[in-house]
Amino acid sequence: MVAGVGNNNLKIKTKIMVLKKGSTGSEVEELQKALGIPVDGDFGPQTEAAVKEYQKQNGLVVDGIVGPNTYAKLISEDKSNSNYLWIFDNGHGGIIDGVYQTAGKRSPVWEDGNILYEGEFNRGVVNRLVKLCKENNIDYVNIVDTQQDISLRKRTDAANDIYREQLQNDGKPCIYVSVHANGFSKESAHGWGVYTTVGETKSDKIAQVLYEKAKVEFPNHKMRKDTTDGDADKEANFWVLRKVVMPAILSENFFMTNREESKLLLSEEGRDRIAKIHFQMIEEIEYTEII
């Protein structure tokens, strides 16, 4: 049920994936850090010699040029510098052999014949988050890497086991992010929101960052909030929020039961944008270490 990926911290992002003698800049600095040599951002004779030695030791073509093969080997060995372990929970079940695995949790059948299955949407967003984390060297665990509808208890038990494991290993803090779409009996209900448990907790800070990202990305959509305690998150005693032993948030990404919002959730662009705000939250918290 649980799949984890520890990512690396090498951030060479050149489009053609080539660094060689004469190259300069931040990508060269990252390369020099990975090779354990003095960092000056200048791919000179010392860097070239270090690359050749690395290539020789790893059975690569010894040409002193960091192309796709050398780069792939470097990132496969490099360790993550992520400050947190992000635990993703895609709520409900997916689709197996064309059959949706969760009762309810779907939109009406719209005039064009489309229907949104929440568990499928949740997986679509989390899969995008996984990809973004891989590409940007952020540690994560996809707590439900299956199309089956895993019980809430099994999800939170697995997350808590990972948390305890982290404490015994490197002590890296864990943050739980549960991704959902909202629903209601009336089509008029609409808007985006994020939930934490009742009371003031570390989770409030995470939720506030996500709320701010959503407000910027979706300026023409309603932001559902509760500011009575000074922040924007809504509070509820959802199982996955109160049963994990780490900061946790649950995002309700618009209403699948609202015609226009369901169209957004069914679209690839909409899913990209929703994954984007979650990843922007991750980036900011990784950078600021606010909890």
Side-chain angles (χ1 to χ4, degrees):
M1 181 180 77
V2 177
V5 176
N7 291 292
N8 53 74
N9 64 2
L10 186 60
K11 299 177 181 178
I12 300 173
K13 297 180 181 178
T14 176
K15 291 181 181 178
I16 59 174
M17 299 297 291
V18 172
L19 293 175
K20 59 184 179 180
K21 193 172 182 180
S23 299
T24 60
S26 60
E27 294 175 344
V28 176
E29 291 179 358
E30 293 295 333
L31 171 65
Q32 291 167 331
K33 290 176 186 177
L35 293 171
I37 62 176
V39 177
D40 62 5
D42 183 7
F43 198 126
Q46 185 177 7
T47 302
E48 183 181 50
V51 170
K52 286 182 175 179
E53 181 61 23
Y54 178 84
Q55 292 169 328
K56 181 180 178 182
Q57 292 176 357
N58 288 278
L60 300 165
V61 174
V62 180
D63 57 7
I65 297 172
V66 180
N69 292 337
T70 301
Y71 173 76
K73 184 63 177 177
L74 280 164
I75 65 171
S76 72
E77 294 181 345
D78 200 25
K79 295 182 179 180
S80 168
N81 65 346
S82 184
N83 294 308
Y84 303 92
L85 176 62
W86 295 86
I87 300 179
F88 299 138
D89 169 25
N90 40 47
H92 311 300
I95 297 175
I96 299 176
D97 296 329
V99 179
Y100 185 42
Q101 299 299 299
T102 303
K105 303 298 180 183
R106 68 194 72 190
S107 75
V109 179
W110 303 112
E111 293 86 347
D112 60 4
N114 281 324
I115 181 170
L116 185 138
Y117 297 100
E118 187 192 351
E120 182 275 328
F121 161 78
N122 299 337
R123 282 161 176 75
V125 173
V126 166
N127 288 342
R128 285 165 167 80
L129 273 176
V130 164
K131 183 174 184 291
L132 288 165
C133 285
K134 283 182 179 179
E135 291 173 349
N136 291 274
N137 315 307
I138 303 296
D139 285 348
Y140 72 89
V141 171
N142 182 0
I143 204 72
V144 184
D145 65 335
T146 174
Q147 296 295 320
Q148 295 177 344
D149 191 350
I150 304 300
S151 72
L152 298 180
R153 181 181 294 276
K154 286 183 178 179
R155 294 170 191 249
T156 54
D157 283 352
N160 291 336
D161 286 345
I162 292 168
Y163 170 83
R164 285 186 280 269
E165 213 173 278
Q166 286 294 111
L167 285 181
Q168 293 175 356
N169 295 334
D170 58 11
K172 185 174 292 186
C174 298
I175 297 175
Y176 192 95
V177 179
S178 191
V179 176
H180 293 257
N182 218 333
F184 195 63
S185 57
K186 294 182 179 180
E187 187 186 332
S188 57
H190 65 287
W192 183 96
V194 59
Y195 286 81
T196 64
T197 51
V198 176
E200 293 187 20
T201 66
K202 291 180 179 179
S203 304
D204 295 352
K205 294 181 179 180
I206 303 168
Q208 185 65 30
V209 173
L210 181 57
Y211 172 85
E212 295 296 338
K213 304 303 181 186
K215 185 171 66 171
V216 171
E217 181 66 25
F218 299 101
N220 299 320
H221 289 263
K222 178 181 179 180
M223 293 289 112
R224 301 169 65 88
K225 60 183 178 179
D226 176 5
T227 58
T228 55
D229 60 350
D231 47 43
D233 62 289
K234 297 173 75 67
E235 297 183 345
N237 282 319
F238 295 138
W239 178 279
V240 296
L241 297 180
R242 61 188 171 88
K243 290 295 185 178
V244 293
V245 293
M246 68 206 76
I249 64 169
L250 185 149
S251 61
E252 291 280 16
N253 297 284
F254 302 109
F255 279 72
M256 59 186 164
T257 47
N258 178 279
R259 182 179 277 95
E260 292 306 312
E261 292 189 346
S262 185
K263 288 179 183 177
L264 175 69
L265 303 184
L266 283 164
S267 72
E268 295 300 313
E269 179 188 5
R271 296 177 181 205
D272 287 345
R273 293 172 69 190
I274 290 167
K276 173 186 172 183
I277 62 172
H278 286 76
F279 189 71
Q280 288 175 333
M281 169 198 70
I282 290 170
E283 286 187 309
E284 181 166 327
I285 291 169
E286 284 282 349
Y287 180 75
T288 60
E289 297 184 63
I290 59 174
I291 65 165

